[in-house]
PDB file of all heavy atoms in Angstrom:
ATOM      1  N   ALA A  37      96.943 -74.576 -48.173  1.00 54.00           N
ATOM      2  CA  ALA A  37      95.877 -73.640 -48.678  1.00 54.00           C
ATOM      3  C   ALA A  37      94.934 -73.207 -47.572  1.00 54.00           C
ATOM      4  O   ALA A  37      94.165 -72.273 -47.728  1.00 54.00           O
ATOM      5  CB  ALA A  37      95.167 -74.313 -49.799  1.00 54.00           C
ATOM      6  N   GLY A  45      86.700 -72.605 -46.117  1.00 61.00           N
ATOM      7  CA  GLY A  45      86.388 -71.907 -44.948  1.00 61.00           C
ATOM      8  C   GLY A  45      85.040 -71.213 -45.051  1.00 61.00           C
ATOM      9  O   GLY A  45      84.237 -71.152 -44.031  1.00 61.00           O
ATOM     10  N   VAL A  47      82.563 -72.117 -46.872  1.00 69.00           N
ATOM     11  CA  VAL A  47      81.480 -73.136 -46.858  1.00 69.00           C
ATOM     12  C   VAL A  47      81.213 -73.543 -45.401  1.00 69.00           C
ATOM     13  O   VAL A  47      80.064 -73.737 -44.971  1.00 69.00           O
ATOM     14  CB  VAL A  47      81.929 -74.391 -47.659  1.00 69.00           C
ATOM     15  CG1 VAL A  47      81.016 -75.593 -47.390  1.00 69.00           C
ATOM     16  CG2 VAL A  47      81.909 -74.037 -49.150  1.00 69.00           C
ATOM     17  N   GLY A  72      84.435 -79.525 -24.071  1.00 97.00           N
ATOM     18  CA  GLY A  72      85.045 -80.221 -25.242  1.00 97.00           C
ATOM     19  C   GLY A  72      84.066 -80.324 -26.434  1.00 97.00           C
ATOM     20  O   GLY A  72      84.472 -80.159 -27.590  1.00 97.00           O
ATOM     21  N   PRO A  85      83.576 -69.405 -29.843  1.00 95.00           N
ATOM     22  CA  PRO A  85      82.962 -70.015 -28.691  1.00 95.00           C
ATOM     23  C   PRO A  85      82.085 -69.136 -27.912  1.00 95.00           C
ATOM     24  O   PRO A  85      81.019 -69.555 -27.394  1.00 95.00           O
ATOM     25  CB  PRO A  85      84.180 -70.469 -27.846  1.00 95.00           C
ATOM     26  CG  PRO A  85      85.300 -70.702 -28.834  1.00 95.00           C
ATOM     27  CD  PRO A  85      85.057 -69.647 -29.890  1.00 95.00           C
ATOM     28  N   LEU A  98      68.911 -77.063 -22.926  1.00 97.00           N
ATOM     29  CA  LEU A  98      70.356 -77.250 -23.051  1.00 97.00           C
ATOM     30  C   LEU A  98      71.002 -76.810 -21.773  1.00 97.00           C
ATOM     31  O   LEU A  98      70.531 -75.896 -21.076  1.00 97.00           O
ATOM     32  CB  LEU A  98      70.943 -76.417 -24.273  1.00 97.00           C
ATOM     33  CG  LEU A  98      70.425 -76.771 -25.624  1.00 97.00           C
ATOM     34  CD1 LEU A  98      71.081 -75.821 -26.683  1.00 97.00           C
ATOM     35  CD2 LEU A  98      70.658 -78.211 -25.981  1.00 97.00           C
ATOM     36  N   ALA A 178      50.730 -88.167 -14.706  1.00 95.00           N
ATOM     37  CA  ALA A 178      51.985 -88.559 -14.014  1.00 95.00           C
ATOM     38  C   ALA A 178      51.807 -88.628 -12.499  1.00 95.00           C
ATOM     39  O   ALA A 178      51.135 -87.848 -11.861  1.00 95.00           O
ATOM     40  CB  ALA A 178      53.113 -87.532 -14.293  1.00 95.00           C
ATOM     41  N   LEU A 221      51.631 -93.935 -45.487  1.00 98.00           N
ATOM     42  CA  LEU A 221      51.214 -93.062 -46.586  1.00 98.00           C
ATOM     43  C   LEU A 221      50.066 -93.666 -47.446  1.00 98.00           C
ATOM     44  O   LEU A 221      49.168 -92.916 -47.807  1.00 98.00           O
ATOM     45  CB  LEU A 221      52.374 -92.834 -47.537  1.00 98.00           C
ATOM     46  CG  LEU A 221      52.170 -91.997 -48.752  1.00 98.00           C
ATOM     47  CD1 LEU A 221      51.564 -90.672 -48.429  1.00 98.00           C
ATOM     48  CD2 LEU A 221      53.482 -91.807 -49.534  1.00 98.00           C
ATOM     49  N   TYR A 224      46.913 -92.956 -45.598  1.00 98.00           N
ATOM     50  CA  TYR A 224      46.502 -91.568 -45.729  1.00 98.00           C
ATOM     51  C   TYR A 224      45.937 -91.255 -47.107  1.00 98.00           C
ATOM     52  O   TYR A 224      44.868 -90.576 -47.203  1.00 98.00           O
ATOM     53  CB  TYR A 224      47.788 -90.678 -45.562  1.00 98.00           C
ATOM     54  CG  TYR A 224      47.541 -89.148 -45.809  1.00 98.00           C
ATOM     55  CD1 TYR A 224      46.776 -88.465 -44.911  1.00 98.00           C
ATOM     56  CD2 TYR A 224      48.090 -88.535 -46.907  1.00 98.00           C
ATOM     57  CE1 TYR A 224      46.591 -87.077 -45.189  1.00 98.00           C
ATOM     58  CE2 TYR A 224      47.872 -87.263 -47.218  1.00 98.00           C
ATOM     59  CZ  TYR A 224      47.164 -86.450 -46.291  1.00 98.00           C
ATOM     60  OH  TYR A 224      46.884 -85.160 -46.515  1.00 98.00           O
ATOM     61  N   VAL A 254      42.147 -66.861 -42.078  1.00 96.00           N
ATOM     62  CA  VAL A 254      43.131 -66.086 -41.396  1.00 96.00           C
ATOM     63  C   VAL A 254      43.958 -66.956 -40.522  1.00 96.00           C
ATOM     64  O   VAL A 254      43.568 -68.099 -40.146  1.00 96.00           O
ATOM     65  CB  VAL A 254      42.455 -64.921 -40.564  1.00 96.00           C
ATOM     66  CG1 VAL A 254      41.713 -64.000 -41.417  1.00 96.00           C
ATOM     67  CG2 VAL A 254      41.616 -65.529 -39.472  1.00 96.00           C
ATOM     68  N   ARG A 295      50.203 -80.334 -31.702  1.00 96.00           N
ATOM     69  CA  ARG A 295      50.782 -81.622 -31.395  1.00 96.00           C
ATOM     70  C   ARG A 295      49.900 -82.771 -31.787  1.00 96.00           C
ATOM     71  O   ARG A 295      50.376 -83.792 -32.417  1.00 96.00           O
ATOM     72  CB  ARG A 295      50.957 -81.699 -29.835  1.00 96.00           C
ATOM     73  CG  ARG A 295      51.415 -83.090 -29.396  1.00 96.00           C
ATOM     74  CD  ARG A 295      51.512 -83.165 -27.842  1.00 96.00           C
ATOM     75  NE  ARG A 295      50.258 -82.947 -27.177  1.00 96.00           N
ATOM     76  CZ  ARG A 295      49.223 -83.810 -27.089  1.00 96.00           C
ATOM     77  NH1 ARG A 295      49.346 -84.986 -27.647  1.00 96.00           N
ATOM     78  NH2 ARG A 295      48.126 -83.504 -26.437  1.00 96.00           N
ATOM     79  N   ALA A 312      51.277 -75.135 -50.438  1.00 98.00           N
ATOM     80  CA  ALA A 312      51.665 -73.729 -50.144  1.00 98.00           C
ATOM     81  C   ALA A 312      52.963 -73.401 -50.942  1.00 98.00           C
ATOM     82  O   ALA A 312      53.085 -72.274 -51.482  1.00 98.00           O
ATOM     83  CB  ALA A 312      51.904 -73.533 -48.657  1.00 98.00           C
ATOM     84  N   MET A 354      55.104 -85.324 -57.830  1.00 94.00           N
ATOM     85  CA  MET A 354      53.971 -85.858 -58.589  1.00 94.00           C
ATOM     86  C   MET A 354      54.321 -85.848 -60.120  1.00 94.00           C
ATOM     87  O   MET A 354      53.453 -85.616 -60.959  1.00 94.00           O
ATOM     88  CB  MET A 354      52.668 -85.125 -58.333  1.00 94.00           C
ATOM     89  CG  MET A 354      51.950 -85.594 -57.095  1.00 94.00           C
ATOM     90  SD  MET A 354      50.267 -84.959 -56.976  1.00 94.00           S
ATOM     91  CE  MET A 354      49.561 -86.003 -55.687  1.00 94.00           C
ATOM     92  N   ARG A 391      63.380 -59.958 -34.295  1.00 97.00           N
ATOM     93  CA  ARG A 391      63.959 -58.881 -35.075  1.00 97.00           C
ATOM     94  C   ARG A 391      62.916 -57.714 -35.139  1.00 97.00           C
ATOM     95  O   ARG A 391      61.745 -57.972 -34.980  1.00 97.00           O
ATOM     96  CB  ARG A 391      64.284 -59.395 -36.496  1.00 97.00           C
ATOM     97  CG  ARG A 391      65.177 -60.587 -36.590  1.00 97.00           C
ATOM     98  CD  ARG A 391      65.217 -61.131 -37.998  1.00 97.00           C
ATOM     99  NE  ARG A 391      66.043 -62.272 -38.082  1.00 97.00           N
ATOM    100  CZ  ARG A 391      66.186 -63.015 -39.217  1.00 97.00           C
ATOM    101  NH1 ARG A 391      65.563 -62.699 -40.302  1.00 97.00           N
ATOM    102  NH2 ARG A 391      66.946 -64.128 -39.222  1.00 97.00           N
ATOM    103  N   ALA A 430      34.379 -70.588 -47.195  1.00 97.00           N
ATOM    104  CA  ALA A 430      33.950 -69.312 -46.531  1.00 97.00           C
ATOM    105  C   ALA A 430      32.485 -69.312 -46.083  1.00 97.00           C
ATOM    106  O   ALA A 430      32.073 -68.496 -45.281  1.00 97.00           O
ATOM    107  CB  ALA A 430      34.174 -68.141 -47.492  1.00 97.00           C
ATOM    108  N   GLY A 433      31.036 -70.910 -40.741  1.00 95.00           N
ATOM    109  CA  GLY A 433      31.514 -69.935 -39.737  1.00 95.00           C
ATOM    110  C   GLY A 433      30.720 -68.670 -39.798  1.00 95.00           C
ATOM    111  O   GLY A 433      29.502 -68.667 -40.096  1.00 95.00           O
ATOM    112  N   LEU A 442      40.064 -75.080 -33.867  1.00 97.00           N
ATOM    113  CA  LEU A 442      40.437 -76.064 -32.887  1.00 97.00           C
ATOM    114  C   LEU A 442      40.565 -75.390 -31.515  1.00 97.00           C
ATOM    115  O   LEU A 442      41.257 -74.434 -31.378  1.00 97.00           O
ATOM    116  CB  LEU A 442      41.751 -76.799 -33.221  1.00 97.00           C
ATOM    117  CG  LEU A 442      41.742 -77.577 -34.499  1.00 97.00           C
ATOM    118  CD1 LEU A 442      43.121 -78.202 -34.790  1.00 97.00           C
ATOM    119  CD2 LEU A 442      40.686 -78.641 -34.472  1.00 97.00           C
ATOM    120  N   GLU A 496      30.308 -63.862 -18.779  1.00 98.00           N
ATOM    121  CA  GLU A 496      30.782 -63.593 -20.203  1.00 98.00           C
ATOM    122  C   GLU A 496      30.879 -64.828 -21.052  1.00 98.00           C
ATOM    123  O   GLU A 496      31.307 -64.716 -22.216  1.00 98.00           O
ATOM    124  CB  GLU A 496      32.201 -62.880 -20.083  1.00 98.00           C
ATOM    125  CG  GLU A 496      32.218 -61.579 -19.436  1.00 98.00           C
ATOM    126  CD  GLU A 496      33.625 -60.973 -19.304  1.00 98.00           C
ATOM    127  OE1 GLU A 496      34.437 -61.647 -18.583  1.00 98.00           O
ATOM    128  OE2 GLU A 496      33.893 -59.935 -19.824  1.00 98.00           O
ATOM    129  N   LEU A 521      38.299 -72.954 -14.857  1.00 98.00           N
ATOM    130  CA  LEU A 521      38.684 -72.832 -13.423  1.00 98.00           C
ATOM    131  C   LEU A 521      37.459 -72.879 -12.558  1.00 98.00           C
ATOM    132  O   LEU A 521      36.582 -71.961 -12.609  1.00 98.00           O
ATOM    133  CB  LEU A 521      39.438 -71.498 -13.257  1.00 98.00           C
ATOM    134  CG  LEU A 521      40.625 -71.321 -14.213  1.00 98.00           C
ATOM    135  CD1 LEU A 521      41.001 -69.921 -14.317  1.00 98.00           C
ATOM    136  CD2 LEU A 521      41.857 -72.109 -13.717  1.00 98.00           C
ATOM    137  N   LEU A 578      50.191 -49.077 -10.855  1.00 95.00           N
ATOM    138  CA  LEU A 578      51.575 -49.344 -11.345  1.00 95.00           C
ATOM    139  C   LEU A 578      51.542 -50.476 -12.357  1.00 95.00           C
ATOM    140  O   LEU A 578      52.199 -50.470 -13.368  1.00 95.00           O
ATOM    141  CB  LEU A 578      52.423 -49.678 -10.100  1.00 95.00           C
ATOM    142  CG  LEU A 578      53.841 -50.142 -10.463  1.00 95.00           C
ATOM    143  CD1 LEU A 578      54.628 -49.041 -11.214  1.00 95.00           C
ATOM    144  CD2 LEU A 578      54.602 -50.561  -9.219  1.00 95.00           C
ATOM    145  N   LEU A 594      55.482 -60.967 -27.273  1.00 95.00           N
ATOM    146  CA  LEU A 594      55.553 -61.459 -25.895  1.00 95.00           C
ATOM    147  C   LEU A 594      55.382 -60.346 -24.928  1.00 95.00           C
ATOM    148  O   LEU A 594      54.560 -60.406 -24.040  1.00 95.00           O
ATOM    149  CB  LEU A 594      56.895 -62.190 -25.674  1.00 95.00           C
ATOM    150  CG  LEU A 594      57.074 -62.928 -24.319  1.00 95.00           C
ATOM    151  CD1 LEU A 594      58.098 -64.033 -24.469  1.00 95.00           C
ATOM    152  CD2 LEU A 594      57.528 -61.994 -23.197  1.00 95.00           C
ATOM    153  N   PRO A 625      27.875 -73.548 -15.957  1.00 42.00           N
ATOM    154  CA  PRO A 625      27.614 -73.351 -17.369  1.00 42.00           C
ATOM    155  C   PRO A 625      26.623 -74.433 -17.919  1.00 42.00           C
ATOM    156  O   PRO A 625      26.591 -75.551 -17.345  1.00 42.00           O
ATOM    157  CB  PRO A 625      28.966 -73.535 -17.977  1.00 42.00           C
ATOM    158  CG  PRO A 625      29.675 -74.411 -17.001  1.00 42.00           C
ATOM    159  CD  PRO A 625      29.204 -74.037 -15.681  1.00 42.00           C
TER     160      PRO A 625
END
Side-chain angles (χ1 to χ4, degrees):
V47 169
L98 300 179
L221 177 55
Y224 175 70
V254 299
R295 173 185 59 78
M354 279 192 166
R391 304 171 184 174
L442 296 179
E496 296 175 297
L521 304 159
L578 173 61
L594 187 153

